[in-house]
Every structure is written in structure tokens, then in C-alpha cells.
Amino acid sequence: MKQLQIGKAFTLLESGPVVLVTTNDGKKNNIMTISWTMVMDFAPIFAMTTGPWNYSFSALRKTKECVISIPTVDLLDKVVGVGTCSGADTDKFAKFALTPVKGKHVNAPLIKECVANIECKVVDIIKKHNIVVLEGVSAYVDKSRKERRTVHAVGDGTFIVDGRKLDRKNMMRSKLPAGL
Amino acid sequence: MKQLQIGKAFTLLESGPVVLVTTNDGKKNNIMTISWTMVMDFAPIFAMTTGPWNYSFSALRKTKECVISIPTVDLLDKVVGVGTCSGADTDKFAKFALTPVKGKHVNAPLIKECVANIECKVVDIIKKHNIVVLEGVSAYVDKSRKERRTVHAVGDGTFIVDGRKLDRKNMMRSKLPAGL
């Protein structure tokens, strides 16, 4: 995986792909599927809605670390599978044949099969709203991957695959951070 | 526009489309383009990142109301246009030939040209993080519209158009709210 400038990490999430979020509670790795995420800044600061109903939440709260991994459409059945079983009784890396890769800044693993990974630190937990605020500290993109289309959860059990890309950089120049 | 069961409104936002958010400050309508949104519950409760740097924010804070409108790809140039000028000196409905439609629960207008609209009340503003928490109170979908593909902002001036839709309802049945 090639390092991505951390200032560009928000572009991995802004379009709203379903993501995998990994944690390590000190004993074992776990993964959850999350589509309730939000970019909050170019910094990059992200929000994620989760809470005690997700088994990963206790590891997230305890370690204050996670990795956001961006899967592509060829991984959809693994993504849905990860989201419909629990780390309480399942080793999801083993069950779904995903490969944990050691990161640089956090103990939660990157996922080798994903097109991108963002190592994150928890900077706040807004209990009232079940919002976890994350700061991306290091980002990576697999440039060699052929399938690069991400998938967007509709919420009703269907998923929208990325279609064509339209360029409006010139129209938006005044609003873009430098270097993008 | 046909009413949509409010319990299904989160499905309009979960996939992460760029949206238009309307307000009315008591004197005039305004619109902003937002792609930093998040579903927070099936309730439906949504988060949006905004703040004083958006002219609409003062109307949002004062009236505690807005409408989230979902544009489709044929409206992309209007969406980018709305996002690159200010309501401080521009009547955006007039400039971009968008049609305000009176809602039922809020004074902020629906946008006729959009494929869906959600009337929302502000339920909280988390100042520390510039997060506005919204509750959808009524939702509408234009069933007659042919172009239904939404657009996802990457954040670098490019936009991903909806591609194919994949169905994993059976795999996800245990995780879906009743009726979806």
C-alpha cells in the first residue's frame, strides 16, 4: 500500500462508501461494517455513529484507535458478512479470509484486500448521540488494484456501485483545499 | 411529490449523496450544498457538518428548521453553482432556476426539481464539532422523475455518479428495520 498525503484522506470517505472498521482490544483483531460516517473537516476529522450495540465499540473506547478500510465492490459479500455476525463469537479475519496488516501508528490492523486504509485515533466520543470523532493519522492506497469501485449502502439491503466520475474541478477551484 | 414513510427517510441519505439544504430566515429562502452528512439512526436522525462559514448557518440556528433536498446528476452544475456562491448576495433559487415549494412542517422550502426532499427540525447543535443534529419530520419522493441517479462528492472537485444497484436484502434481513 502506498502512503497517501494525510490531507487527502477525506477524499476516501466524502463520497460515502460503506467501510470496514478494524479494532484490536489487546488480544484479538475485530472488524465491523459501518456506513454511518461523515467527513467533518479537511484536517482530516471524521465522525462515525456507533455504540455499545457493536461489539467493536468497547475496544474502540478502550484503545481509542481504529482503522477505516475502504472495500471495493468485489468484496461486497465479505462486507455484508462482516456486518451480519459478531466479533463476540467470530474471528472475522479468518471467517472472511481477510488479511490483517500491521500499521504504523495504531494496533488496529489495516486490511490488505481493501483499496485504502486510514489509521485513526479517537479524539472524542459524543455519548448523547453515539458519535465517535476520529482523526486520521496515516492513510494508504493500493495503487495496483484493478477494481477500484466502492459501494454505497442504501440502508434497505441494496448497495449502489460507483458509476462514472464527473469532473467539476474548475468550477469548484475556489472551494478546494490547496493541492487537490 | 409523493409522501415517503418517514421511517424510510434514512435510505435517501445513507448512500452519501451530495445534498442541497434549504433554509428560510423569515425574509428569504436560501440554499447550500452539503456533502458532509451522516445517518445516525433509523429514527430518522441525521448529522450535518456546518458552521458560521456557511451563510445559511444563522438561519438554521435561528429557525431550527431546514429541508434536505436530494439532487440527481442532471442537476450537478446547479449543485456546484449553489456551493460556490453565497446567499449573502445571491438569490440562489432565482440564479439557478430552482423552484421553492411550500412544505407542511417547516418554513424552509422543498426544491421541486430534486428527486426527494426531507423536512427537518434541528434537535441539537454540537458547537465543539460544528455538527448539526436533525430530525426528519416528513419526506417526499418524486416518483415521476426519470433521472434518479444521485451524485457523490469525492471532495477534490470530482463527483461519482450512481452506477448499478446490487441486492443483498436476503443476506442482511436480520439487520434491516421492519418494513424495508
Side-chain angles (χ1 to χ4, degrees), chain A residues 42-66:
Chain A
F42 302 113
I45 303 288
F46 311 119
M48 167 167 77
T49 298
T50 181
W53 60 87
N54 280 324
Y55 181 76
S56 299
F57 184 66
S58 68
L60 196 61
R61 196 172 40 186
K62 184 178 126 190
T63 63
K64 301 215 177 299
E65 295 180 349
C66 66

Side-chain angles (χ1 to χ4, degrees), chain B residues 22 48 54 56 107 135 163 165 168:
Chain B
T22 76
M48 166 167 78
N54 279 324
S56 298
N107 287 315
E135 177 172 10
K165 201 179 240 196
R168 293 297 184 275

Side-chain angles (χ1 to χ4, degrees), chain A residues 13 17-24 29-37 46-50 54-57 59-60 63 65-71 79 82-83 92-93 98 108-111 114 116-122 132 134:
Chain A
L13 284 185
V18 61
V19 300
L20 298 171
V21 176
T22 77
T23 50
N24 180 296
N29 293 325
N30 194 18
I31 323 174
M32 61 179 164
T33 299
I34 292 275
S35 62
W36 294 356
T37 65
F46 311 119
M48 167 167 77
T49 298
T50 181
N54 280 324
Y55 181 76
S56 299
F57 184 66
L60 196 61
T63 63
E65 295 180 349
C66 66
V67 170
I68 299 175
S69 297
I70 318 281
V79 170
V82 165
K92 300 196 197 181
F93 276 94
L98 294 168
L110 317 185
I111 300 178
C114 285
N117 285 273
I118 311 170
E119 293 185 76
C120 295
K121 300 273 189 183
V122 174
V132 177
L134 300 169

Side-chain angles (χ1 to χ4, degrees), chain B residues 38-160:
Chain B
M38 173 169 69
V39 171
M40 293 169 61
D41 198 339
F42 302 113
I45 303 289
F46 311 119
M48 166 167 78
T49 297
T50 181
W53 59 86
N54 279 324
Y55 182 75
S56 298
F57 184 66
S58 67
L60 197 60
R61 195 171 41 185
K62 184 178 125 190
T63 63
K64 302 214 176 300
E65 295 180 347
C66 67
V67 169
I68 299 175
S69 297
I70 319 281
T72 44
V73 60
D74 50 314
L75 300 175
L76 179 58
D77 287 336
K78 292 177 195 267
V79 169
V80 174
V82 164
T84 49
C85 67
S86 173
D89 55 19
T90 309
D91 175 345
K92 300 196 197 180
F93 277 93
K95 180 167 181 179
F96 298 104
L98 295 168
T99 312
V101 175
K102 206 174 152 28
K104 289 180 190 163
H105 302 278
V106 303
N107 287 315
L110 317 184
I111 300 177
K112 187 183 172 190
E113 288 75 12
C114 286
V115 69
N117 284 273
I118 311 170
E119 293 184 75
C120 295
K121 300 273 189 182
V122 173
V123 295
D124 202 1
I125 296 179
I126 306 167
K127 275 192 189 171
K128 182 179 173 189
H129 294 291
N130 299 305
I131 294 174
V132 177
V133 180
L134 300 170
E135 177 172 10
V137 290
S138 198
Y140 311 88
V141 174
D142 184 349
K143 298 276 186 184
S144 67
R145 216 174 191 298
K146 283 188 185 164
E147 180 59 80
R148 310 192 70 81
R149 291 174 301 164
T150 66
V151 183
H152 306 259
V154 175
D156 63 353
T158 66
F159 295 84
I160 297 165

